């Protein structure tokens, strides 16, 4: 499909800092946009409906699946997360670079649907640092932290299937590395 090269899928285990990296990139390069996913998970401190996610009910999510409004979706740690068609197709048509920050299953589905998309995996500097960041958030229960750590191990095992890899030991430097990938893939140097 036209404009597939405008799609940049960013994954990495919970705690790798991918959201911070993408926000740093967008602050410096606002021409790069980001999709807002739909989710059924509860809002956390700092979440803003319609900005961090579209927070919707399970019934609403399942209705949207049936109506083919999602280009991909998954169940992650007990909640639905998905990318709305309206978040990607107009940008592809308009040639606007857009980042999707999604987990590994969704990334693989996007790559199948849009083979011209670029997948980028954000690695934490170490496993210890990953756990430290995850606990440092203070927003998750011990049980949820354990689930997320287990899931992190599974996701890291899939890093080799991604087109590009960046290590987040410094968010600003990592954001510029991501921007360099975007420019290269768009043919801008
Ligand atoms: P969190 O609950 O920490 O905001 O997100 C949990 C995981 O779901 C993260 O890895 C995040 O990237 C992923 N995620 C967020 N939105 C989507 C989406 O639309 N589709 C998929 N497949 N994963 C998503």
């Amino acid at each position: 499909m036209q404009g597939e090269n405008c799609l940049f899928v960013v994954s990495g285990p919970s705690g790798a800092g991918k959201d911070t990296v993408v926000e740093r990139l967008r602050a410096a390069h606002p021409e790069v946009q980001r999709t807002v996913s739909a989710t059924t998970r509860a809002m956390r401190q700092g979440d803003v409906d319609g900005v961090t996610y579209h927070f919707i009910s399970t019934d609403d999510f399942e209705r949207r699946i049936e109506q083919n409004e999602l280009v991909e979706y998954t169940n992650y740690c007990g909640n639905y997360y998905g990318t709305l068609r309206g978040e990607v197709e107009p940008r592809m048509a308009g040639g606007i670079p857009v980042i999707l920050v999604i987990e590994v299953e969704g990334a693989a589905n996007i790559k199948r649907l849009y083979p011209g998309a670029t997948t980028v995996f954000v690695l934490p500097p170490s496993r210890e640092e990953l756990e430290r960041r995850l606990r440092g958030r203070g927003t998750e229960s011990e049980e949820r932290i354990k689930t997320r750590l287990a899931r992190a191990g599974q996701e890291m095992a899939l890093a080799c299937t991604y087109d590009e890899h960046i290590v987040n030991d410094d968010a600003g430097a990592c954001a510029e590395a991501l921007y360099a990938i975007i420019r290269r893939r768009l043919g801008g140097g």
Side-chain angles (χ1 to χ4, degrees):
M1 195 182 283
Q2 188 207 336
E4 287 181 7
N5 67 328
C6 292
L7 299 185
F8 295 88
V9 179
V10 172
S11 303
S14 192
K18 52 193 186 300
D19 287 302
T20 310
V21 168
V22 171
E23 288 323 309
R24 290 286 284 270
L25 181 149
R26 296 201 52 234
H29 309 286
E31 74 277 15
V32 179
Q33 300 188 355
R34 176 184 179 162
T35 56
V36 179
S37 294
T39 185
T40 60
R41 85 146 159 75
M43 288 178 77
R44 291 199 293 243
Q45 202 181 357
D47 277 331
V48 180
D49 191 18
V51 178
T52 37
Y53 285 103
H54 298 290
F55 291 92
I56 63 175
S57 67
T58 303
D59 280 355
D60 191 4
F61 201 103
E62 289 176 347
R63 184 186 57 76
R64 287 168 192 264
I65 295 171
E66 273 168 30
Q67 294 183 349
N68 200 24
E69 284 182 31
L70 295 150
V71 286
E72 64 77 29
Y73 70 94
T74 193
N75 195 304
Y76 179 95
C77 298
N79 287 299
Y80 280 127
Y81 293 81
T83 307
L84 296 159
R85 187 174 303 283
E87 292 280 325
V88 287
E89 291 189 347
R91 276 134 171 175
M92 287 165 66
I96 298 165
V98 63
I99 298 176
L100 293 73
V101 184
I102 62 179
E103 52 67 66
V104 291
E105 197 188 331
N109 286 333
I110 289 289
K111 191 75 181 176
R112 251 192 300 277
L113 199 57
Y114 307 113
T118 303
T119 54
V120 183
F121 200 90
V122 178
L123 292 152
S126 68
R127 219 182 165 80
E128 292 69 34
E129 176 63 14
L130 182 77
E131 184 161 351
R132 200 187 62 74
R133 288 182 190 170
L134 213 47
R135 290 186 186 284
R137 274 187 191 167
T139 54
E140 307 282 336
S141 67
E142 182 61 27
E143 192 192 331
R144 285 199 162 264
I145 288 172
K146 289 223 167 78
T147 313
R148 281 176 181 253
L149 279 172
R151 175 87 188 206
Q154 295 164 5
E155 292 191 342
M156 300 272 276
L158 290 171
C160 59
T161 62
Y162 280 65
D163 298 319
E164 307 274 352
H165 306 86
I166 44 182
V167 178
N168 181 17
D169 41 19
D170 175 88
C174 198
E176 286 309 314
L178 179 55
Y179 186 61
I181 290 170
I182 293 173
R183 283 181 54 92
R184 176 156 43 82
R185 293 271 175 166
L186 290 176

